[in-house]
Amino acid sequence: MNFNIRRNELVEIFSEFINILKDNPIKPIISGLKIESNSGKVTFTGTNLDINYIKTIYCETIEDGVVIFKPNLALEYIKLLDDETINLSSKNDILSIHLAEFTLLYNDNFPENLKLPLVDEIAKISPQELYKSFERTKFSVAPSTENLAINCIRTLFREDRISFVSTDSYRLTYLKTDNKSLLEKDFSIPLESVNILCKLIKDLNEDITIGSNGENLIFLWKNTYFLTKVTTLPFPNFDAILCGNSFSKEMEFNYNDFKSALKKVLTVARTSNESKNGAILEFKGKKLSISASSGKAKINQKVDMIKNGDDFKCSLNIKFLFEFVENLNNNVFIKGNTSSAMFEITEGDNSSYKYILMPLALRD
């Protein structure tokens, strides 16, 4: 194998694959990046068995061939080079990159047929819309893989919308977009896949085609193929939580004032050993008082509000509340009934983006 490629392009490609490739003591070949040079094009292939990523570029190829190696060390070396064009060539068990040599992996047992055909095309979406939707919902995904059923973003494809839902059992985020779908299907996309996909599409400028192949979800864009397995465990029945709720109390806050107060209270609340991130919120008259204490400090912040309903007091995880609020741009609305029932937070009258938050036990 022998080809020339622009240094910046190679750095970008290696960086993308390092997000996916993992050490695999049972099958070490899986930790390698496969590079195949063939008549003016070079194809890069990597997998961790849950995600397959394939990228093809067109460049000057001198000799066709295939190699598999771990790109981590090579990436660090390439970043230090000043040359605009880099040569990669292989001979025997060595891959030469510029003036450095790297040991190849034996290419026996590297998974074949990683690029499955797209059986059902589901939708097309702009990368900015998909990235923004994932970012606005993934913060409330259960972070641990101990419960795979909620360690994911539930994505619902409908003819008139695409919706995204996440929960960690203490809170739930719902986001509806106006993107249309060709088919009506639901998928639970693992958080790890969402995080990797976000890194890949963040600066992308062309539409993404989304499709499925059995229990796999496939994302296609220019010369790039991304496949992720989906979680087949049943996702919680969130419709019952979102629909049919009535609230006796509604509070409206200026976005900047409310966000600033939450951020200040969080600096103290996060240090509390007794109730980490917990704060007391007292809705009284036209003022909200937010207080938190720890062994190191106490804090109280007051925020103006417009309130409909009786005065009341509750305890909330202030970190959870802040994480949703920082995704907003306009006035914040909080609806509730009692200190022991769930709260609904929205941005104005926008029902397309909702947040359900369960309260903490109220301590005297």
Side-chain angles (χ1 to χ4, degrees), residues 174-196:
Y174 171 81
L175 173 65
K176 181 181 73 174
T177 72
D178 294 329
N179 295 278
K180 295 176 172 44
S181 305
L182 301 174
L183 298 174
E184 296 206 351
K185 290 195 171 188
D186 300 344
F187 297 93
S188 293
I189 308 175
L191 178 60
E192 181 184 26
S193 298
V194 169
N195 285 332
I196 292 173

Side-chain angles (χ1 to χ4, degrees), residues 3-6 9 37 39-42 44 57-62:
F3 67 92
N4 295 319
I5 184 173
R6 288 186 294 115
E9 190 170 22
S37 170
S39 302
K41 69 177 182 180
V42 178
F44 301 83
I57 58 117
Y58 294 88
C59 60
E60 179 190 1
T61 56
I62 301 165

Side-chain angles (χ1 to χ4, degrees), residues 247 249-255 258 283 288 305-308 316 321 324-325 328-336 343-351 353-357:
F247 298 96
K249 302 173 179 64
E250 179 179 287
M251 290 68 66
E252 180 181 357
F253 302 91
N254 174 274
Y255 169 72
F258 190 55
F283 303 89
L288 165 65
M305 67 177 175
I306 300 173
K307 179 169 67 67
N308 293 317
L316 295 176
L321 182 56
F324 178 75
V325 169
L328 307 180
N329 298 298
N330 297 308
N331 282 7
V332 182
F333 283 70
I334 299 179
K335 299 176 183 179
F343 290 83
E344 180 184 282
I345 301 96
T346 58
E347 181 178 35
D349 295 326
N350 179 14
S351 62
Y353 192 35
K354 290 183 178 181
Y355 191 52
I356 303 297
L357 181 59

